[in-house]
């Protein structure tokens, strides 16, 4: 049993390292039209170094997703790799820019989820534009029935209960949370065919 997961992990590492862009996974690299006005580069809200995110995700045991984020986080965040002229810090480190006071929440699935190639095709559903954390659930700003806007797909995901999205439970809260990028661990990929969003 362990060798099956070891082989899947090694194959995933090789696959992730050889990806030129998310387009290989069928993930658009351009944001949805409605996101352009939300994220259009105007006011920089935060410059976030990717190393802190990938280290936290790796240390929490989500190794495959850590490698994916290391290579592609700046392409997932709308305009995350669009650096303003004169921003020396942006080019000095591997960083992502968050514009206009937005928050991205990333739901990282467990490594075993990557053994099914079909899951790779729905990776885009794991990135939403909203502050999704325990505080948001407790305050009611995120509640059962709330639709969450995904970064690149043309379908949203649905909150199906406290700490549950598309009937997939959050198992590791706040793996990383700097207020602009939040990362939670989940038990599986979100089902892209869930509901009719």
């Amino acid at each position: 049993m362990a060798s099956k997961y070891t082989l899947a992990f090694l194959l995933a590492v090789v696959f992730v390292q050889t990806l030129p862009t998310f387009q290989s996974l069928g993930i658009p690299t351009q944001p949805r039209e409605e996101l352009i006005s939300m994220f259009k580069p105007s006011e920089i809200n935060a410059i976030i170094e990717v190393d802190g995110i990938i280290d936290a995700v790796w240390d929490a045991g989500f190794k495959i997703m850590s490698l994916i984020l290391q290579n592609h986080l700046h392409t997932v965040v709308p305009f995350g790799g669009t650096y303003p002229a004169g921003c020396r810090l942006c080019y000095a480190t591997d960083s992502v820019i968050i514009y206009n006071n937005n928050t991205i929440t990333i739901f990282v699935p467990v490594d075993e989820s990557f053994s099914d190639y079909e899951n790779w095709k729905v990776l885009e559903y794991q990135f939403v534009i909203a502050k999704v954390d325990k505080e948001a659930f407790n305050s009611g700003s995120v509640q059962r029935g709330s639709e969450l806007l995904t970064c690149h797909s043309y379908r949203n995901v649905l909150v199906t209960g406290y700490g549950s999205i598309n009937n997939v439970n959050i198992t590791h809260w706040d793996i990383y949370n700097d207020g602009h990028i939040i990362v939670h661990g989940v038990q599986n990929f979100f089902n892209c065919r869930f509901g009719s969003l």
Side-chain angles (χ1 to χ4, degrees), residues 1-132:
M1 188 74 155
S3 63
K4 175 183 170 185
Y5 294 122
T6 303
L7 178 61
F9 177 73
L10 290 174
L11 288 173
V13 169
V14 169
F15 181 71
V16 168
Q17 293 298 324
T18 59
L19 287 175
T21 66
F22 262 163
Q23 289 175 335
S24 302
L25 300 175
I27 297 174
T29 56
Q30 294 298 315
R32 296 161 62 157
E33 288 183 37
E34 61 262 34
L35 299 182
I36 292 175
S37 62
M38 289 173 61
F39 279 89
K40 187 174 181 181
S42 59
E43 178 187 332
I44 293 178
N45 189 253
I47 301 170
I48 300 164
E49 292 188 36
V50 174
D51 289 344
I53 299 168
I54 60 174
D55 288 346
V57 172
W58 182 274
D59 292 345
F62 298 85
K63 312 280 190 226
I64 296 173
M65 200 64 186
S66 176
L67 295 171
I68 291 171
L69 294 175
Q70 178 181 12
N71 291 316
H72 301 290
L73 183 59
H74 65 280
T75 63
V76 174
V77 175
F79 300 105
T82 305
Y83 303 127
C87 181
R88 293 181 185 198
L89 177 61
C90 300
Y91 294 102
T93 62
D94 190 10
S95 59
V96 171
I97 295 183
I98 302 293
Y99 289 95
N100 306 332
N101 203 28
N102 286 295
T103 301
I104 303 290
T105 304
I106 304 169
F107 300 93
V108 296
V110 295
D111 288 349
E112 294 80 15
S113 301
F114 287 89
S115 62
D116 182 1
Y117 177 73
E118 290 299 310
N119 286 337
W120 288 85
K121 295 178 183 177
V122 296
L123 189 59
E124 64 194 74
Y125 292 94
Q126 305 303 122
F127 301 86
V128 301
I129 300 168
K131 178 185 177 214
V132 181

